[in-house]
Structures are given as structure tokens and as C-alpha cells.
Amino acid sequence: MAKVNTYDLVIVGGGPIGMACAIAAHQKGLNYIILEKGALVNSLFNYPLYMTFFSTAEKLEIGNIPFNCIAPKPGRQEALEYYRNIQRYFDLNIKLFEKVETINKTNGEFTIVTDKTNYTAKNVVIATGFYDIPIYMDVPGEHLAKVSHYYKEAHEYAFRKVLIVGANNSSVDAALECWRKGADVTMVIRKDEINPRVKYWVKPDVENRIAEGSIKAYFNSNITEIKETEVDILTPNGPITIENDFVLALTGYRPNLEFIQQCGVNISDDSNLTPQYNPETMETNITGLYLAGVVCGGMETHKWFIENSRVHADIIINNITGNN
């Protein structure tokens, strides 16, 4: 029989918001643990190597610990260093590389089963982010080895023909970095413009590169098939086929809503798939089960991010301690 560990609070997800919940729990004297399936702040770890945040450093702070940054906007490496220092400072009770498989509530208590052991808790916070599941295109050839839904750095694409799908921040960053490293870059964009939410200092850059022809772009277009050395695209002027070595399908990501549903949380039946929770307490339709961070927005992954969901931690912990 697996060992059972009992806590006031189990936090699922060791990202910045999960860590903020743990800090608030510690400050209120709760017996807590964070369960993280990967590395500390795993989503940030998997961001592109040279990604720059939209937010300024102070808006990424948690635990009232200053985030010192020389540049106006911090990058991935600085953020990882900051959150590692948060862990060093608070010595949060966290289990890394331990994946939560199921959460069930019986007789007023939660049972949390991981791939390592079992836990019981009076309360649970799900703060799992959204970077784990790509939004797939569902086109023939999407399974080929040359297709990736994640982008790390440009070097491997240098001097190759690279097609980038999407017009959001990740797509634009990848297009510009790959082009600057010598790649032949083509963008396929479903709408008629670069996403207005693209970082304001980057958007003119990519628009100028497209205007001058350095980066080719097909607007109002979609990939219809990916082949070993070609890609078929449906454009407003009809279907075309272009030569291709790599496809970066940076079409966005979504939370693991299936996991949330399996926990008993109601999900809206519209396209947003929004989980049910009380915004005044962050408690779901399951008493004692809370949501924090970007997962609260369902498919609207642009709605919540670190700087505006840090407050979820205090809201949740104040509600838990007020109920006890």
C-alpha cells in the first residue's frame, strides 16, 4: 500500500502561481505541499531560450521579494533565476517530477494519487497553467518528425526552409529569430493581420520584414497538408505548394481541461470551455477545490497571466483559513 501523506492543502503545479499559493499558505500556518510534474516553473523552463516577457520584472514578483532586472523586460533566464531564488529563500515544500494522476473527494477529504504515492488533503489548488497541450491543426502530415509545436532556439533552422504557423507572440518571435539566423522563413496566418496582442516593440519589426519581403507571409491562409519536402497551403488566390524542411506549428496551447473535468469541476459548454469557479474565492463547484492562474480562463489563455493572477494566492488562502 502506497504511503499516505495528509495536508491542509495540496497545490498542483509548481509554476509562479502555485509557488505564490504555497508562500501564502506558509504565512498562514497551513500544512501544504506542491506537486509538480516537471522542473520548477516547468512551463517557463520550456519557453524559447531567448524569450522576453511582456511584463516588467516587478509584475512577475511573488512573496514580496524584489525581481532585480537590468533590462526593461526580463528574459527567460532571468525569470528562472528569480524563481529559483524564491525557492531558496522560502524553502517551499515541493515535490518535483511527480505527476498528479487523479483527484477525488470522498467524505469531505481529497485523495490525490500521483505516479509516486498518494496524498490526502482538506483542500486542493489546481494551478497547472496551459503550456502542456498544443492546439493541433488536424491536417495530414502533422505527425511528421519535421513538425514541432514548440520552439526552443533558431540554430537548427539556419539555412533551411522553415514554415511558421500562427501570428501570435511565439510565432512572431520564432519567425524573426530564425530569419536573423539565416533561415528562409514563410509564415502562414489564418487571419488578415499579425495578432494585435503581439509585443508592441516586436510587432512593427515583423510587419516591416514582411513588407520588404525578407519574411514571406500568406494571410487568410491555412495549411492543408504537410509532406516530407513540401507543404500545401490554401490561400485566398487558391492552393499552392511550397518547398519545406521544417514546420513550426505555433498555433497556441491550452490547459488540461480533461483533467479538471475528471476532478469534478464543471466546464462551460461554449467554445471558451471555462471552468466553473467563484471569482471572489476562486473555489470551484467542488467545495475545497480551487483554481489559480491561467487555467481559470479555459481556452481564453490570454485572459490570465502571472501579473494579474498573483492575487489568486491570497484570495484562496484567506478563504481557506476563514473557513477553518
Side-chain angles (χ1 to χ4, degrees):
M1 179 70 179
K3 180 182 178 183
V4 175
N5 309 276
T6 301
Y7 294 90
D8 295 321
L9 175 64
V10 165
I11 301 163
V12 184
I17 304 306
M19 295 176 75
C21 290
I23 293 168
H26 170 75
Q27 292 170 342
K28 291 286 188 172
L30 295 179
N31 181 24
Y32 73 89
I33 190 170
I34 304 173
L35 302 174
E36 166 55 57
K37 73 173 187 178
L40 187 72
V41 292
N42 196 60
S43 291
L44 272 61
F45 170 70
N46 286 306
Y47 282 175
L49 293 183
Y50 305 109
M51 191 214 77
T52 300
F53 283 84
F54 195 99
S55 302
T56 53
E58 66 270 15
K59 293 181 179 180
L60 302 177
E61 293 173 356
I62 59 175
N64 293 316
I65 302 298
F67 186 162
N68 296 316
C69 179
I70 296 174
K73 312 277 187 180
R76 168 187 173 275
Q77 294 292 83
E78 292 164 304
L80 292 180
E81 184 69 21
Y82 172 75
Y83 293 114
R84 284 197 300 269
N85 286 335
I86 289 288
Q87 176 59 26
R88 289 189 185 100
Y89 182 84
F90 288 100
D91 191 24
L92 302 174
N93 186 20
I94 183 169
K95 296 288 187 182
L96 300 174
F97 297 95
E98 184 165 344
K99 182 180 180 181
V100 173
E101 296 179 338
T102 62
I103 299 173
N104 293 292
K105 187 177 184 183
T106 54
N107 300 321
E109 189 173 64
F110 291 95
T111 299
I112 300 94
V113 177
T114 77
D115 57 0
K116 302 286 177 61
T117 187
N118 296 349
Y119 301 84
T120 60
K122 299 175 186 176
N123 303 278
V124 173
V125 174
I126 297 177
T128 47
F130 75 108
Y131 203 58
D132 292 332
I133 305 175
I135 298 173
Y136 293 102
M137 300 180 292
D138 292 325
V139 299
E142 191 170 9
H143 66 281
L144 292 174
K146 73 173 190 175
V147 180
S148 177
H149 292 275
Y150 293 91
Y151 167 74
K152 202 69 175 177
E153 63 173 325
H155 177 75
E156 67 176 312
Y157 306 114
F159 316 115
R160 308 306 300 275
K161 296 181 185 297
V162 181
L163 189 151
I164 296 172
V165 186
N168 53 23
N169 276 301
S170 58
S171 305
V172 167
D173 284 347
L176 289 169
E177 289 180 18
C178 289
W179 172 69
R180 290 198 162 96
K181 295 297 185 290
D184 180 352
V185 176
T186 299
M187 299 183 73
V188 172
I189 298 165
R190 184 166 50 88
K191 297 183 178 180
D192 61 359
E193 63 177 352
I194 297 295
N195 192 320
R197 289 194 296 269
V198 166
K199 290 172 282 196
Y200 64 83
W201 66 94
V202 174
K203 189 168 181 282
D205 189 0
V206 72
E207 289 174 336
N208 288 334
R209 302 295 75 75
I210 291 170
E212 71 188 15
S214 298
I215 293 175
K216 296 178 286 296
Y218 293 98
F219 292 94
N220 298 304
S221 301
N222 290 284
I223 287 179
T224 56
E225 185 172 359
I226 302 169
K227 304 171 185 175
E228 288 289 352
T229 60
E230 296 175 328
V231 175
D232 294 338
I233 307 168
L234 182 60
T235 77
N237 297 321
I240 63 170
T241 299
I242 65 171
E243 294 181 8
N244 173 259
D245 298 310
F246 291 102
V247 174
L248 289 171
L250 306 179
T251 47
Y253 310 93
R254 66 176 183 86
N256 189 344
L257 298 170
E258 293 81 4
F259 172 74
I260 294 171
Q261 282 184 303
Q262 289 165 7
C263 296
V265 177
N266 295 331
I267 304 289
S268 68
D269 57 7
D270 57 17
S271 61
N272 291 334
L273 301 176
T274 307
Q276 181 182 338
Y277 68 94
N278 181 348
E280 295 182 0
T281 63
M282 308 310 294
E283 191 172 33
T284 68
N285 56 287
I286 306 295
T287 302
L289 178 59
Y290 299 82
L291 301 180
V294 70
V295 72
C296 298
M299 294 298 288
E300 293 184 288
T301 54
H302 60 277
K303 188 174 182 179
W304 295 104
F305 33 93
I306 298 171
E307 74 175 62
N308 71 348
S309 60
R310 295 176 298 178
V311 297
H312 293 172
D314 286 333
I315 292 171
I316 292 168
I317 302 306
N318 287 338
N319 188 69
I320 290 173
T321 54
N323 289 343
N324 290 343

